[in-house]
Amino acid sequence: MHEMGVAMQIIEIAQASIPADMADARVARVNLKVGKLSAIVADSLRFCFEVVARETPLAGAELHIEEVPVQARCNACRHEWTIDQPAFACPDCKSGDITLLSGRELDIESLELAEEDA
Amino acid sequence: MLLDGINRIRAYHHKDGHDHHHPHPGDGPVETRSSGTREIKVVRRVLDANEIMAEANRERFAAQNIFVLNLMSSPGSGKTTTLEKTLRHLMRDYRCAVIVGDICTTADADRLAASGAPVVQINTDEFGGDCHLAAHVIEKALGGLDLAAIDILIVENIGNLVCPAEFDIGEDKRAVILSVTEGEDKPLKYPLMFRECDAALLNKIDLLPYLEDFDVKLAADNIRQIHPGIPVFETSAKTEEGFEGWLDWLRDSAKEKLG
């Protein structure tokens, strides 16, 4: 439900990341990593991004979303596994003392700028 | 790997307080790709701005020696009533204040002000009708409070089990309220919220005699399945049944910080 604000942040960070000597460049694609545990709906985010990107160097840019699985490590037995169900205890030793290694991401990885002469 | 051997920029701003380099325009490596585009590495958290502001809030609370609780739940689960009753008890020992978030209306603030605690109402329609309280909104609300005269600050977040879980506001502890009329499966449907919270209240247990189908044990088990070890308090904000455990947890958490 806060995808509009997230889309605005993406545009702000992306615009600030374009090097000064490429200020006129058009952004073709934004590569985003979104953890499966983050409170983001990819389709809503794409829709909001498209709307907010209008009249910015990101107009028409593709928002590429890489979903990051929820990886966990058990602090008791060191077992590592992927959490794909709503259960957060170690499947091996049943300990609930776990560390999430991934799944909370909401990161801009990179931008792809269209070559002017391309 | 696209950028092997090139100095990469890592700009993650972690909650753990480590220092990280923040990139500036133009200092990212640029690579020409065969597809006719040039890739610029960014590697930044989208919610960086919120994290930075949350950290600033946290430092401010630490400097003023204030314990901060972020109270979250879905709409209608009994947040405001729980808070009214909680304040009544806590205010015997602590100077309390409240920041209450709603999209519209000041109804909750009016109810909470009756406790005698200073209350700041935030209506997020000023901020675009946001579904959560972000750190900068809290920072703004702090302007309406005398921080030197507060021991415990409770933030009543917007009623929503999704978005508030994503936004650090600089709090010390987070608690979530689930009411028995909402269904036992809610923790499984909103795992991030129950994962992120330090305590859970299973509220409105005074209604259990009218809810033959609600399984209290299953609801508590589901919460613990998402967050093993989390304290779960079965409460009725109406009758204050089960409040001792919740108040003890709150007092212990406050003591940990305030000494």
Side-chain angles (χ1 to χ4, degrees):
Chain A
M1 277 178 275
H2 54 280
E3 280 80 359
M4 186 58 88
V6 168
M8 288 162 78
Q9 286 289 326
I10 291 172
I11 303 245
E12 206 180 304
I13 293 172
Q15 281 191 284
S17 303
I18 299 173
D21 61 339
M22 298 170 143
D24 298 331
R26 187 178 66 77
V27 178
R29 179 161 138 153
V30 177
N31 292 308
L32 198 68
K33 275 191 172 174
V34 178
K36 286 194 81 168
L37 203 55
S38 76
I40 289 291
V41 178
D43 281 346
S44 306
L45 184 57
R46 279 197 202 92
F47 172 78
C48 294
F49 177 80
E50 192 191 315
V51 173
V52 184
R54 285 175 196 160
E55 294 175 21
T56 78
L58 286 95
E62 177 199 351
L63 187 64
H64 180 261
I65 298 177
E66 182 193 336
E67 262 202 0
V68 184
V70 184
Q71 283 284 123
R73 183 176 56 223
C74 175
N75 295 325
C77 75
R78 314 306 287 174
H79 177 62
E80 288 188 17
W81 77 103
T82 303
I83 295 178
D84 49 13
Q85 285 170 28
F88 289 75
C90 175
D92 268 17
C93 75
K94 312 297 175 207
S95 168
D97 180 15
I98 66 165
T99 301
L100 293 186
L101 304 173
S102 69
R104 286 296 316 273
E105 292 79 0
L106 182 50
D107 302 334
I108 299 189
E109 283 296 297
S110 65
L111 304 178
E112 291 175 31
L113 302 185
E115 293 285 6
E116 280 148 47
D117 55 356
Chain B
M1 279 306 248
L2 191 60
L3 290 162
D4 273 349
I6 300 174
N7 181 28
R8 288 184 180 212
I9 295 174
R10 288 274 153 192
Y12 289 90
H13 186 85
H14 294 291
K15 278 186 184 178
D16 58 16
H18 294 162
D19 284 335
H20 300 276
H21 174 69
H22 287 261
H24 300 285
D27 67 0
V30 179
E31 172 119 338
T32 302
R33 311 184 91 197
S34 55
S35 57
T37 61
R38 304 173 88 186
E39 181 168 21
I40 297 175
K41 276 279 159 190
V42 180
V43 196
R44 273 187 64 182
R45 289 171 56 108
V46 175
L47 299 180
D48 237 7
N50 187 72
E51 291 294 326
I52 290 164
M53 183 53 80
E55 226 30 73
N57 287 348
R58 190 166 279 121
E59 282 170 21
R60 217 166 144 191
F61 296 138
Q64 298 279 354
N65 207 29
I66 300 172
F67 169 77
V68 183
L69 175 78
N70 183 0
L71 186 61
M72 298 179 276
S73 81
S74 50
S77 63
K79 269 194 309 301
T80 308
T81 307
T82 300
L83 195 45
E84 281 178 298
K85 300 290 178 83
T86 301
L87 285 170
R88 197 175 296 168
H89 290 278
L90 284 183
M91 286 178 70
R92 291 176 194 150
D93 306 312
Y94 295 102
R95 298 170 299 166
C96 301
V98 177
I99 294 175
V100 52
D102 278 299
I103 294 176
C104 302
T105 84
T106 58
D108 286 359
D110 297 342
R111 279 171 62 188
L112 291 165
S115 70
V119 178
V120 176
Q121 169 85 53
I122 297 170
N123 285 134
T124 58
D125 54 2
E126 275 179 50
F127 299 93
D130 264 350
C131 46
H132 61 274
L133 295 179
H136 72 277
V137 177
I138 297 299
E139 195 269 340
K140 195 180 170 202
L142 293 180
L145 292 169
D146 176 10
L147 298 185
I150 299 171
D151 303 313
I152 296 179
L153 174 65
I154 302 181
V155 177
E156 183 185 333
N157 218 310
I158 311 278
N160 178 346
L161 283 178
V162 185
C163 314
E166 190 84 82
F167 290 84
D168 185 2
I169 55 174
E171 72 276 56
D172 297 296
K173 296 283 183 191
R174 298 172 158 193
V176 57
I177 304 177
L178 178 69
S179 62
V180 298
T181 51
E182 291 173 70
E184 304 96 338
D185 56 347
K186 291 297 174 287
L188 307 183
K189 288 184 173 172
Y190 304 96
L192 181 62
M193 175 60 76
F194 289 87
R195 204 52 228 166
E196 285 290 305
C197 280
D198 305 289
L201 278 73
L202 201 48
N203 196 28
K204 302 195 185 180
I205 55 168
D206 53 293
L207 293 179
L208 286 174
Y210 311 102
L211 301 168
E212 283 171 19
D213 293 340
F214 190 87
D215 184 341
V216 175
K217 187 181 175 300
L218 177 61
D221 285 350
N222 283 343
I223 293 172
R224 293 193 188 100
Q225 186 177 316
I226 297 299
H227 193 155
I230 187 175
V232 180
F233 304 109
E234 295 169 21
T235 57
S236 162
K238 191 177 174 188
T239 66
E240 297 189 29
E241 192 182 344
F243 252 51
E244 306 78 19
W246 156 242
L247 291 170
D248 284 347
W249 177 82
L250 206 48
R251 287 194 190 100
D252 289 347
S253 303
K255 257 182 227 156
E256 240 173 69
K257 182 168 191 193
L258 306 176

